[in-house]
Short mmCIF file of all heavy atoms in Angstrom, two decimals:
data_model
loop_
_atom_site.label_atom_id
_atom_site.label_comp_id
_atom_site.label_asym_id
_atom_site.label_seq_id
_atom_site.Cartn_x
_atom_site.Cartn_y
_atom_site.Cartn_z
N TYR C 1 88.14 27.45 150.06
CA TYR C 1 89.21 27.23 149.03
C TYR C 1 90.28 26.31 149.70
O TYR C 1 90.58 26.19 150.72
CB TYR C 1 89.94 28.51 148.79
CG TYR C 1 88.97 29.58 148.26
CD1 TYR C 1 88.50 30.51 149.28
CD2 TYR C 1 88.51 29.71 146.98
CE1 TYR C 1 87.54 31.56 148.85
CE2 TYR C 1 87.64 30.68 146.62
CZ TYR C 1 87.13 31.51 147.55
OH TYR C 1 86.36 32.56 147.08
N LEU C 2 91.01 25.56 148.76
CA LEU C 2 92.15 24.81 149.10
C LEU C 2 93.16 25.19 148.13
O LEU C 2 93.15 24.72 146.93
CB LEU C 2 91.80 23.31 149.05
CG LEU C 2 93.04 22.42 149.45
CD1 LEU C 2 93.18 22.48 150.92
CD2 LEU C 2 92.62 21.00 149.16
N GLN C 3 94.25 25.89 148.57
CA GLN C 3 95.46 26.17 147.81
C GLN C 3 96.45 25.04 147.95
O GLN C 3 96.88 24.73 149.12
CB GLN C 3 96.07 27.55 148.23
CG GLN C 3 97.31 27.91 147.43
CD GLN C 3 97.11 28.21 145.94
OE1 GLN C 3 96.13 28.83 145.68
NE2 GLN C 3 97.83 27.70 145.06
N MET C 4 96.62 24.42 146.76
CA MET C 4 97.66 23.28 146.82
C MET C 4 98.90 23.61 146.18
O MET C 4 98.86 23.82 144.90
CB MET C 4 96.97 22.21 146.12
CG MET C 4 95.59 21.65 146.80
SD MET C 4 94.88 20.26 146.04
CE MET C 4 94.56 20.84 144.41
N ASN C 5 100.00 23.68 146.93
CA ASN C 5 101.31 23.85 146.17
C ASN C 5 102.17 22.66 146.42
O ASN C 5 101.95 21.80 147.12
CB ASN C 5 101.94 25.10 146.96
CG ASN C 5 101.14 26.38 146.92
OD1 ASN C 5 100.57 26.66 145.86
ND2 ASN C 5 101.28 27.24 147.85
N SER C 6 103.24 22.75 145.64
CA SER C 6 104.19 21.62 145.60
C SER C 6 103.66 20.17 145.43
O SER C 6 103.85 19.33 146.16
CB SER C 6 105.14 21.66 146.93
OG SER C 6 105.73 22.99 147.08
N LEU C 7 102.75 20.13 144.51
CA LEU C 7 101.93 18.97 144.37
C LEU C 7 102.77 17.77 144.06
O LEU C 7 103.69 17.88 143.21
CB LEU C 7 100.83 19.21 143.22
CG LEU C 7 99.64 20.03 143.79
CD1 LEU C 7 98.81 20.44 142.57
CD2 LEU C 7 98.75 19.15 144.67
N LYS C 8 102.35 16.66 144.40
CA LYS C 8 103.02 15.36 144.17
C LYS C 8 102.13 14.38 143.57
O LYS C 8 100.81 14.52 143.72
CB LYS C 8 103.52 14.76 145.51
CG LYS C 8 104.36 15.66 146.43
CD LYS C 8 104.72 15.01 147.75
CE LYS C 8 105.54 15.88 148.67
NZ LYS C 8 105.74 15.24 149.97
N PRO C 9 102.64 13.39 142.83
CA PRO C 9 101.71 12.45 142.18
C PRO C 9 100.88 11.63 143.24
O PRO C 9 99.72 11.33 142.94
CB PRO C 9 102.80 11.31 141.56
CG PRO C 9 103.91 12.29 141.26
CD PRO C 9 104.02 13.25 142.46
N GLU C 10 101.26 11.56 144.46
CA GLU C 10 100.51 10.94 145.60
C GLU C 10 99.17 11.73 145.77
O GLU C 10 98.38 11.24 146.57
CB GLU C 10 101.33 10.81 146.82
CG GLU C 10 102.64 10.00 146.57
CD GLU C 10 103.91 10.97 146.29
OE1 GLU C 10 103.95 11.40 145.04
OE2 GLU C 10 104.48 11.25 147.26
N ASP C 11 99.33 13.08 145.47
CA ASP C 11 98.14 13.85 145.61
C ASP C 11 96.90 13.66 144.70
O ASP C 11 95.87 14.23 144.82
CB ASP C 11 98.49 15.38 145.70
CG ASP C 11 99.42 15.78 146.71
OD1 ASP C 11 99.30 15.40 147.87
OD2 ASP C 11 100.43 16.49 146.48
N THR C 12 97.22 12.82 143.70
CA THR C 12 96.07 12.50 142.69
C THR C 12 94.99 11.90 143.36
O THR C 12 95.17 10.90 144.06
CB THR C 12 96.76 11.57 141.58
OG1 THR C 12 97.72 12.27 140.93
CG2 THR C 12 95.72 11.31 140.65
N ALA C 13 93.84 12.40 143.18
CA ALA C 13 92.54 11.88 143.79
C ALA C 13 91.37 12.78 143.34
O ALA C 13 91.59 13.87 142.74
CB ALA C 13 92.73 11.98 145.35
N VAL C 14 90.26 12.28 143.74
CA VAL C 14 89.02 13.21 143.52
C VAL C 14 88.99 13.80 144.89
O VAL C 14 88.99 13.33 146.03
CB VAL C 14 87.78 12.48 143.37
CG1 VAL C 14 86.56 13.25 143.37
CG2 VAL C 14 87.87 11.60 142.02
N TYR C 15 88.83 15.26 144.88
CA TYR C 15 88.79 16.06 146.01
C TYR C 15 87.33 16.55 146.34
O TYR C 15 86.67 17.08 145.39
CB TYR C 15 89.59 17.27 145.87
CG TYR C 15 91.10 16.93 146.17
CD1 TYR C 15 91.83 16.26 145.17
CD2 TYR C 15 91.83 17.47 147.34
CE1 TYR C 15 93.23 15.92 145.36
CE2 TYR C 15 93.11 17.02 147.45
CZ TYR C 15 93.87 16.24 146.49
OH TYR C 15 95.07 15.99 146.67
N TYR C 16 86.93 16.27 147.60
CA TYR C 16 85.52 16.62 147.89
C TYR C 16 85.44 17.74 148.97
O TYR C 16 86.15 17.73 150.05
CB TYR C 16 84.83 15.54 148.54
CG TYR C 16 84.70 14.20 147.61
CD1 TYR C 16 85.59 13.21 147.48
CD2 TYR C 16 83.50 14.15 146.89
CE1 TYR C 16 85.56 12.13 146.61
CE2 TYR C 16 83.38 13.10 145.97
CZ TYR C 16 84.46 12.17 145.72
OH TYR C 16 84.18 11.03 144.90
N CYS C 17 84.59 18.62 148.70
CA CYS C 17 84.22 19.65 149.73
C CYS C 17 83.17 19.19 150.58
O CYS C 17 82.30 18.38 150.18
CB CYS C 17 83.73 20.94 148.97
SG CYS C 17 83.18 22.30 150.02
N ALA C 18 83.26 19.40 151.91
CA ALA C 18 82.27 18.95 152.95
C ALA C 18 82.01 20.07 153.91
O ALA C 18 82.81 20.91 154.22
CB ALA C 18 82.94 17.81 153.67
N ALA C 19 80.79 20.03 154.55
CA ALA C 19 80.39 21.00 155.58
C ALA C 19 79.87 20.12 156.77
O ALA C 19 79.19 19.22 156.57
CB ALA C 19 79.26 21.89 154.92
N ALA C 20 80.27 20.67 157.95
CA ALA C 20 79.90 19.94 159.19
C ALA C 20 79.20 20.93 160.07
O ALA C 20 79.96 22.07 160.50
CB ALA C 20 81.11 19.32 159.70
N TRP C 21 78.21 20.56 160.72
CA TRP C 21 77.57 21.33 161.83
C TRP C 21 78.33 20.92 163.08
O TRP C 21 78.48 19.78 163.36
CB TRP C 21 76.18 21.06 162.00
CG TRP C 21 75.51 21.84 163.10
CD1 TRP C 21 75.15 23.01 163.08
CD2 TRP C 21 75.28 21.40 164.50
NE1 TRP C 21 74.61 23.46 164.38
CE2 TRP C 21 74.70 22.46 165.21
CE3 TRP C 21 75.44 20.04 164.98
CZ2 TRP C 21 74.36 22.27 166.63
CZ3 TRP C 21 74.98 20.01 166.32
CH2 TRP C 21 74.60 21.09 167.14
N VAL C 22 78.89 21.84 163.76
CA VAL C 22 79.69 21.67 164.96
C VAL C 22 78.86 21.96 166.20
O VAL C 22 78.60 23.01 166.47
CB VAL C 22 81.01 22.40 164.89
CG1 VAL C 22 81.85 22.08 166.10
CG2 VAL C 22 81.72 22.17 163.67
N PRO C 23 78.63 20.91 167.13
CA PRO C 23 78.06 21.09 168.42
C PRO C 23 78.95 21.80 169.32
O PRO C 23 80.20 21.78 168.99
CB PRO C 23 77.62 19.73 168.84
CG PRO C 23 78.67 18.77 168.28
CD PRO C 23 78.95 19.47 166.89
N PRO C 24 78.56 22.18 170.44
CA PRO C 24 79.36 22.90 171.36
C PRO C 24 80.55 22.02 171.83
O PRO C 24 81.63 22.55 172.20
CB PRO C 24 78.53 23.17 172.63
CG PRO C 24 77.13 23.26 172.02
CD PRO C 24 77.14 22.25 170.92
N SER C 25 80.46 20.76 171.81
CA SER C 25 81.68 19.89 172.27
C SER C 25 82.66 19.60 171.18
O SER C 25 83.75 19.11 171.30
CB SER C 25 81.05 18.48 172.68
OG SER C 25 80.22 17.85 171.66
N GLY C 26 82.31 20.14 169.95
CA GLY C 26 83.23 20.02 168.86
C GLY C 26 83.13 18.69 168.16
O GLY C 26 82.18 17.91 168.41
N ILE C 27 83.90 18.47 167.11
CA ILE C 27 83.92 17.40 166.37
C ILE C 27 85.32 16.79 165.98
O ILE C 27 86.25 17.53 166.32
CB ILE C 27 83.19 17.55 164.92
CG1 ILE C 27 83.95 18.47 164.11
CG2 ILE C 27 81.71 17.86 165.10
CD1 ILE C 27 83.45 18.45 162.61
N ARG C 28 85.37 15.51 165.62
CA ARG C 28 86.56 14.98 165.12
C ARG C 28 86.78 15.32 163.63
O ARG C 28 86.12 14.79 162.77
CB ARG C 28 86.82 13.43 165.30
CG ARG C 28 86.68 12.98 166.73
CD ARG C 28 86.71 11.57 166.92
NE ARG C 28 86.64 11.13 168.29
CZ ARG C 28 87.63 11.05 169.13
NH1 ARG C 28 88.86 11.36 168.73
NH2 ARG C 28 87.61 10.71 170.38
N TRP C 29 87.68 16.26 163.36
CA TRP C 29 87.68 16.91 162.10
C TRP C 29 88.09 15.85 160.90
O TRP C 29 87.77 16.03 159.82
CB TRP C 29 88.82 17.99 162.11
CG TRP C 29 88.55 19.09 163.06
CD1 TRP C 29 89.27 19.32 164.22
CD2 TRP C 29 87.50 20.07 162.90
NE1 TRP C 29 88.59 20.35 164.88
CE2 TRP C 29 87.64 20.82 164.16
CE3 TRP C 29 86.60 20.40 162.08
CZ2 TRP C 29 86.84 22.02 164.37
CZ3 TRP C 29 85.74 21.51 162.36
CH2 TRP C 29 85.78 22.32 163.47
N SER C 30 88.89 14.86 161.28
CA SER C 30 89.36 13.95 160.33
C SER C 30 88.34 12.90 159.93
O SER C 30 88.61 11.93 159.17
CB SER C 30 90.66 13.35 160.73
OG SER C 30 90.66 12.62 161.91
N ASN C 31 87.22 12.73 160.71
CA ASN C 31 86.20 11.71 160.58
C ASN C 31 85.17 12.21 159.59
O ASN C 31 84.45 13.14 159.76
CB ASN C 31 85.58 11.43 161.88
CG ASN C 31 84.71 10.26 161.86
OD1 ASN C 31 84.41 9.70 160.77
ND2 ASN C 31 84.16 9.81 162.94
#
């Protein structure tokens, strides 16, 4: 889930859900 409060016009977008398999070393979450 993504609870979005205090929404701004700048938040307007198509929002995508994504899933990542994470190796033991981790991942770069923002990539």
Side-chain angles (χ1 to χ4, degrees):
Y1 307 94
L2 186 69
Q3 178 66 46
M4 304 185 295
N5 298 327
S6 301
L7 283 162
K8 305 174 181 179
E10 306 93 274
D11 296 317
T12 296
V14 176
Y15 283 71
Y16 296 91
C17 174
W21 180 81
V22 182
S25 57
I27 64 170
R28 296 183 180 274
W29 304 105
S30 62
N31 185 355

